[in-house]
Amino acid sequence: MVNDGVKLRPLTEDDVPAVHRLLGDMKVIRYMLFPLFDEQAARDFVRESAADSDGQRGPSLVRAIAFADSGILVGLCGLVLDRDRLQGEAWYLLDPDYWGKGLATEAGRHLLAYGFGPLGLHRMWAMCLPQNPASARVLRKLGMRREGYLRKHLRIHGVWRDCFLYAMLREEWHA
Ligand SMILES: CC(C)(COP(=O)(O)OP(=O)(O)OC[C@H]1O[C@@H](n2cnc3c(N)ncnc32)[C@H](O)[C@@H]1OP(=O)(O)O)[C@@H](O)C(=O)NCCC(=O)NCCS
């Protein structure tokens, strides 16, 4: 999972401070289900993600979004697989210092390629809050289709939020 800009790689123990910085920042997680992380939560998250880096034991696969040349972690993304491991929910987040440079879109392309390639998924989908137009734009740039609007679907930081549902089928990716 490499190209000139960012690559996706499994997390390592060395990523704990960067993960803490990202998931301890309300600006990053305000539209996501993640709670605000302290250092211990970041440590646990990295340990669990690294222990199941191919998502073979559990449903969740997590990747660092890292610069291809330096390996510096600038974001996180992942897939949550359904029980049959045929569909997956994609998520992503990026360090605010690097917003607006196309990196989430690039990471999203790697994630779709991994899901529809090695994982052989049939369908990938993502949720996005109406308050988060940058994320909706990323999903559209990835070629995902808006399939629906789910009313008060996710409880995010104590508030029930409406969500847009975007998805892509395997055949659409290969086309
Ligand atoms: C959403 C997020 C991942 C986008 O990352 P990014 O690297 O800046 O995304 P990209 O640069 O690839 O694309 C962003 C697009 O949104 C557009 N955009 C940014 N802010 C926008 C706004 N307020 N309204 C409309 N479009 C907006 C940008 O112009 C760009 O589109 P363009 O390439 O056509 O110009 C990043 O803002 C983030 O990490 N947010 C916090 C975590 C999060 O919300 N994750 C998604 C959960 S659903």
Side-chain angles (χ1 to χ4, degrees):
M1 288 204 259
V2 185
N3 90 347
D4 293 330
V6 290
K7 64 180 177 180
L8 307 188
R9 60 160 176 80
L11 290 172
T12 73
E13 293 286 327
D14 293 343
D15 294 318
V16 169
V19 168
H20 180 207
R21 201 179 60 248
L22 280 171
L23 296 179
D25 183 347
M26 200 60 195
K27 189 174 168 193
V28 174
I29 57 144
R30 72 180 151 175
Y31 300 134
M32 304 192 78
L33 287 166
F34 283 109
L36 201 59
F37 273 31
D38 59 16
E39 195 184 337
Q40 187 57 49
R43 199 172 298 286
D44 294 344
F45 178 79
V46 168
R47 188 176 300 122
E48 284 164 26
S49 303
D52 192 17
S53 65
D54 290 325
Q56 291 301 325
R57 286 191 293 167
S60 177
L61 178 146
V62 178
R63 289 287 182 267
I65 303 171
F67 284 128
D69 48 4
S70 63
I72 290 172
L73 186 153
V74 289
L76 295 169
C77 64
L79 286 173
V80 181
L81 304 174
D82 72 350
R83 202 193 314 181
D84 297 334
R85 307 178 72 80
L86 291 173
Q87 303 195 42
E89 178 180 7
W91 61 268
Y92 45 80
L93 55 88
L94 213 75
D95 182 331
D97 285 349
Y98 298 99
W99 287 1
K101 300 179 190 300
L103 299 183
T105 306
E106 196 185 330
R109 283 203 190 97
H110 290 312
L111 203 56
L112 290 174
Y114 189 63
F116 288 127
L119 290 182
L121 298 181
H122 155 72
R123 177 174 177 271
M124 291 175 73
W125 51 279
M127 293 287 184
C128 159
L129 268 55
Q131 294 85 356
N132 195 359
S135 182
R137 178 81 189 118
V138 168
L139 295 171
R140 281 200 303 278
K141 284 196 289 180
L142 289 173
M144 296 181 91
R145 215 182 278 267
R146 187 183 286 182
E147 290 190 341
Y149 186 78
L150 288 71
R151 296 169 61 219
K152 297 202 173 179
H153 178 63
L154 292 179
R155 188 168 176 153
I156 295 191
H157 306 298
V159 181
W160 284 105
R161 298 286 192 179
D162 297 352
C163 298
F164 288 120
L165 169 65
Y166 283 79
M168 181 182 274
L169 300 173
R170 180 184 174 79
E171 54 264 36
E172 291 172 327
W173 171 256
H174 287 295

